[in-house]
Amino acid sequence: MKCLLVFDHLNDVVYTNYDKEFSEHVCEFASLQGFTNAPENADKSSIDDNALVQIFSPIITSQRIMSCQFGNSYTSIQCDDGLNMCFDEYMGYLFVSVAREDIPSIKKFLSICITTVRYLCGPDVCQLRSKEKNSLATRLIDSWVYLQSNDQAVFVEAVEQLVVNSDVSSVTLQILRKSVDKLVTMTDCSKIHAMVLVNNKFLSLFSSQNAKELSASDILFSTILSHSSNPKFAESENPLDSLQILLAGSDQTPSCLSHVVHIIPICEGINLLYLLEVGNVAISSGLYEVFHHLHAMQFVQIQRDVETLRPAFENLDLAMKRLNDALKRNKSGASENCAKQLIKKWDIIRRKYLDFIKTNSDEALLRAETLALGFLENLKQLLSLTSIDEKIISLSQKQTLEVAKMVSDKLNTYNEFLKVKSIRNFTLGSRDSLTINKYLEEFPGLVHFLYVDRVSHRVTAPTLDFSADETNKLTKNKIWAMIKFSRNHLQEGNLSLMWKDTIFNYAYFLWFEDTSGTPMKPLVYPTNSTKALPLPSLLGSDFYQRLKEVCFPKMPSNKIRCYELFCVHLGLVTASCVLEHTRRLAATIWELRGLKAHPIDLL
């Protein structure tokens, strides 16, 4: 049983995604409680929204009161029968998941769902009411659920680089460069990214000179997006899948960068993606910031406390000044009138908030709250006018297909090679690469490993064959359990672990280096820190960025490198041997990746 429900501030249902077991259970419960008049033999595959509202309103109202008035909201509820419920909030909308899974897994699912909504709708969650956004959100969430159950890179939330020789890498990059140059001349867009993915593995990326750098989170999301265009998840029979999304960008604070994405299958398993940056970066980022701080204002003003409200107001006021500056620098007929109305309304609201801060007048605050509803609608309208343009999708499709044909023709020679490599990137028992085999023979007893560079969030790991499920083999469940166990302890601040079962030894290490490769010991160990760590993740929020801030509070995070290493050895291998292997593996991993790395000392 599993579901995702999204409620607005009035407790109305905005979005649902649930399995058959949940729908049948809720339909039966709604019928018993008299929430629906459906006959007993009625179809139970879908749930009436009114029934959902009546069932969940009491707990949602309670959650909102605890959150707004006491600042102590529920994060989860555990039931005796193994059913658990988790809550999370984004832009004033409550995301609820009910499942027969452990709490950390449900929280991870909620986090991914919110990230998906942010990529599709930006700060305006209400867009989920549209059939198109609703369908796309379901497609992406279902795709992530499948990938995180079957792909070790997605499960560890990193991008897996396809290991190919330098000649193939160079040729692919040159082909992408020429295609981007041609697409720039054929369209009005000068900021374009081109990416090739082979069975969810990253092969190559080329970005035009002016394009805003993509974050690792953007690339990982693009992988899920590419997979979701698979006929299993997408119903379209078009030669390409086109949509508009709002990327996070590579800045420390995630932005909301509007992009049109075209996904073109070159052949089965190989997808070519073009991401065209549209709109104005300063305006879309400014709008996202204003939405965020307006939500924070609405959250704290319920408490009617001047000292709590003052910093929230100052943040919102500053965000509005930045947005206003961006709007002034980019005047356009379509959005200019809407922008003027927005600024005019803000000037009135701003004065009311200042009155409340000076005089503690409830009347002034009530007036500001009333005006804020119209102000929010203006924000949504401006977001639609400046960051969302469905016409750009259709206008760029023809040119993109033309350029993609050129790429497909030139890559045709390498297609079969790339597909074979993606299925068998490299394995610990392989003989297909003497260099790799010779390298791995230096680690007797090593069964599997995952090395993750948390600067670029790239993972290097042997491909596993999960078709054999013998007791003496390393199964998918064991690897997934190892990663999950490590994550749970990492969230508690433990940076190194070793443990074993009846067959294998497991080890996990996270360490830091400076830009020259010199090991760095944390100034503050997270186990001793009073600041709680979020769930280890990349999608949604960069946990590793937060970890660096906790461990090195006075150092610029861009001066600190972070790495992870998971290792599985045979049970007979000693702890000292495991440590020695992890040191050498981390120091020489570049031999597999093709990129030189600095030696480190883990312990």
Side-chain angles (χ1 to χ4, degrees), residues 186-457:
M186 295 170 70
T187 63
D188 293 331
C189 185
S190 62
K191 302 172 182 179
I192 300 175
H193 306 275
M195 188 188 312
V196 176
L197 298 170
V198 186
N199 287 324
N200 309 318
K201 294 177 176 63
F202 177 87
L203 174 62
S204 190
L205 168 69
F206 179 82
S207 304
S208 60
Q209 190 173 2
N210 300 323
K212 194 86 172 172
E213 184 182 352
L214 299 180
S215 66
S217 177
D218 291 335
I219 295 174
L220 183 56
F221 181 79
S222 298
T223 303
I224 299 167
L225 195 60
S226 171
H227 184 267
S228 76
S229 67
N230 184 309
K232 178 180 178 180
F233 297 94
E235 298 175 0
S236 173
E237 296 181 1
N238 293 331
L240 82 167
D241 194 9
S242 303
L243 61 149
Q244 190 157 354
I245 59 175
L246 296 129
L247 299 178
S250 59
D251 295 339
Q252 192 165 327
T253 303
S255 300
C256 221
L257 311 174
S258 184
H259 283 73
V260 166
V261 183
H262 297 297
I263 306 169
I264 309 102
I266 292 177
C267 65
E268 187 180 355
I270 303 180
N271 281 351
L272 172 65
L273 282 72
Y274 285 101
L275 296 92
L276 286 65
E277 189 179 312
V278 296
N280 182 282
V281 172
I283 292 176
S284 59
S285 299
L287 279 166
Y288 185 80
E289 190 181 8
V290 171
F291 266 99
H292 173 75
H293 290 299
L294 179 64
H295 163 58
M297 276 291 295
Q298 292 171 332
F299 182 80
V300 300
Q301 65 193 17
I302 295 173
Q303 300 171 30
R304 297 293 194 271
D305 179 26
V306 173
E307 294 308 313
T308 305
L309 188 140
R310 190 195 306 273
F313 166 74
E314 289 172 353
N315 288 334
L316 177 57
D317 192 30
L318 183 59
M320 274 303 300
K321 286 177 182 175
R322 288 181 185 140
L323 176 60
N324 192 18
D325 290 342
L327 290 167
K328 286 178 180 177
R329 290 194 301 269
N330 190 67
K331 292 184 178 180
S332 67
S335 60
E336 193 170 353
N337 187 47
C338 181
K340 285 179 180 177
Q341 291 180 26
L342 184 77
I343 300 303
K344 197 177 292 183
K345 284 182 181 178
W346 171 246
D347 286 340
I348 300 171
I349 294 170
R350 183 177 181 275
R351 287 198 294 271
K352 296 300 177 185
Y353 277 131
L354 287 172
D355 285 349
F356 174 74
I357 290 170
K358 289 175 184 176
T359 64
N360 209 12
S361 165
D362 281 345
E363 184 183 346
L365 186 59
L366 184 61
R367 181 65 177 148
E369 288 176 351
T370 305
L371 290 167
L373 296 175
F375 178 72
L376 180 61
E377 290 306 310
N378 266 103
L379 277 176
K380 291 178 181 179
Q381 185 182 3
L382 191 58
L383 176 71
S384 178
L385 289 170
T386 58
S387 301
I388 300 166
D389 188 352
E390 297 297 333
K391 290 180 182 177
I392 295 176
I393 294 179
S394 56
L395 289 173
S396 58
Q397 280 182 335
K398 184 180 177 182
Q399 295 92 330
T400 303
L401 279 172
E402 186 178 327
V403 170
K405 176 70 167 57
M406 179 192 77
V407 175
S408 179
D409 291 342
K410 290 186 176 180
L411 277 181
N412 187 52
T413 311
Y414 304 98
N415 283 350
E416 292 307 314
F417 167 75
L418 293 173
K419 285 193 284 185
V420 169
K421 286 293 293 179
S422 69
I423 295 169
R424 196 177 179 84
N425 210 3
F426 69 89
T427 65
L428 289 177
S430 68
R431 294 281 167 180
D432 53 356
S433 171
L434 293 176
T435 306
I436 289 175
N437 189 66
K438 184 175 182 297
Y439 170 80
L440 293 172
E441 279 180 352
E442 297 179 15
F443 302 92
L446 179 65
V447 179
H448 190 57
F449 72 88
L450 295 98
Y451 173 89
V452 193
D453 178 345
R454 284 300 177 187
V455 181
S456 61
H457 296 280

Side-chain angles (χ1 to χ4, degrees), residues 458-476:
R458 299 289 171 89
V459 59
T460 304
T463 304
L464 281 163
D465 180 10
F466 293 129
S467 58
D469 191 20
E470 302 166 30
T471 54
N472 62 335
K473 295 277 187 175
L474 183 62
T475 63
K476 183 181 78 171

